[in-house]
Amino acid sequence: MDKDNFGKTEGRLYRYFENISKISMLEKEIDELDKRYDNVEDILKNSNFDFDINIGSPGFEERVQTSCSGESAIEKQILNQAERLLKEQRLIRKKQFKNKIQINELERNNIKLRVAIAMLEEEDKKFIYYKYHKKMPIEGIAEELNLSIRTTYRLRKQIIEEVMKLL
């Protein structure tokens, strides 16, 4: 086995677990965006608008004029706030859609390795988890699996060769 393919396979294993972490983060962000969307929806449904009553209020000595559209200053404020909230909802959905696309791409990139890892023995899966997900040094993995350091290096080489065959 050449060092180039060995290094590339190890790189793919590291990226596999990085992609899993990214997917988890994106899914959490989608959930948080859902909460924000629901909050905005609640504001819209319950008309919990915040407006300045003093804006556009004429004094008693002033003449009252209506706008050309027939809307009062308060009505304009309500419409502006509602438009901003609807715009925020659109932006939330757009961000969620982008996250879902990114999740699909990351999952597509992980398919081959997920299948390859699933076909390995349990001890090999543990090694991969410690080495490429937890990023433990070989010495730590040897201690965790109750193996000698030399045996752990051999195990690493065998696992990478097996993964390369499965890919």
Side-chain angles (χ1 to χ4, degrees):
M1 167 178 42
D2 60 37
K3 286 185 178 183
D4 191 41
N5 283 337
F6 188 89
K8 285 180 181 178
T9 304
E10 279 200 311
R12 287 181 72 179
L13 285 165
Y14 281 118
R15 280 190 304 280
Y16 170 80
F17 286 105
E18 288 170 4
N19 287 349
I20 289 173
S21 295
K22 286 178 188 175
I23 288 168
S24 176
M25 182 189 69
L26 289 168
E27 287 173 341
K28 287 177 185 174
E29 186 178 0
I30 288 171
D31 291 341
E32 289 300 317
L33 288 168
D34 264 340
K35 290 176 187 174
R36 179 64 190 142
Y37 185 91
D38 292 342
N39 185 31
V40 172
E41 185 73 22
D42 184 52
I43 293 170
L44 284 167
K45 283 182 180 177
N46 296 321
S47 300
N48 295 335
F49 295 106
D50 181 30
F51 33 75
D52 186 4
I53 298 173
N54 297 325
I55 292 181
S57 298
F60 288 110
E61 64 279 350
E62 296 179 32
R63 294 178 112 180
V64 176
Q65 292 182 341
T66 60
S67 67
C68 58
S69 64
E71 300 169 335
S72 71
I74 298 291
E75 288 172 326
K76 285 181 185 178
Q77 285 182 25
I78 291 172
L79 290 173
N80 286 340
Q81 287 182 14
E83 274 301 313
R84 282 194 305 262
L85 291 169
L86 291 170
K87 183 179 179 182
E88 184 172 349
Q89 282 186 319
R90 286 189 299 272
L91 292 173
I92 288 169
R93 289 298 188 225
K94 190 175 185 179
K95 178 65 176 160
Q96 286 178 316
F97 182 72
K98 286 180 180 180
N99 285 0
K100 288 176 183 178
I101 289 172
Q102 194 173 358
I103 288 170
N104 285 337
E105 289 173 5
L106 292 169
E107 286 178 342
R108 187 178 61 241
N109 293 338
N110 278 359
I111 289 173
K112 285 183 179 179
L113 269 173
R114 185 180 307 122
V115 170
I117 291 170
M119 296 176 73
L120 298 173
E121 300 292 326
E122 284 305 312
E123 185 176 278
D124 297 346
K125 290 177 188 177
K126 285 181 185 177
F127 178 91
I128 287 175
Y129 176 77
Y130 293 136
K131 176 71 175 149
Y132 304 104
H133 180 66
K134 292 219 169 212
K135 298 179 182 174
M136 290 174 66
I138 291 292
E139 295 78 15
I141 298 169
E143 188 176 315
E144 196 70 37
L145 297 177
N146 201 22
L147 301 170
S148 72
I149 293 174
R150 184 180 203 125
T151 304
T152 307
Y153 274 107
R154 252 187 266 125
L155 180 61
R156 174 180 168 219
K157 185 179 180 207
Q158 290 171 355
I159 290 170
I160 296 297
E161 286 175 353
E162 186 65 27
V163 169
M164 285 172 54
K165 287 178 193 173
L166 294 171
L167 294 175

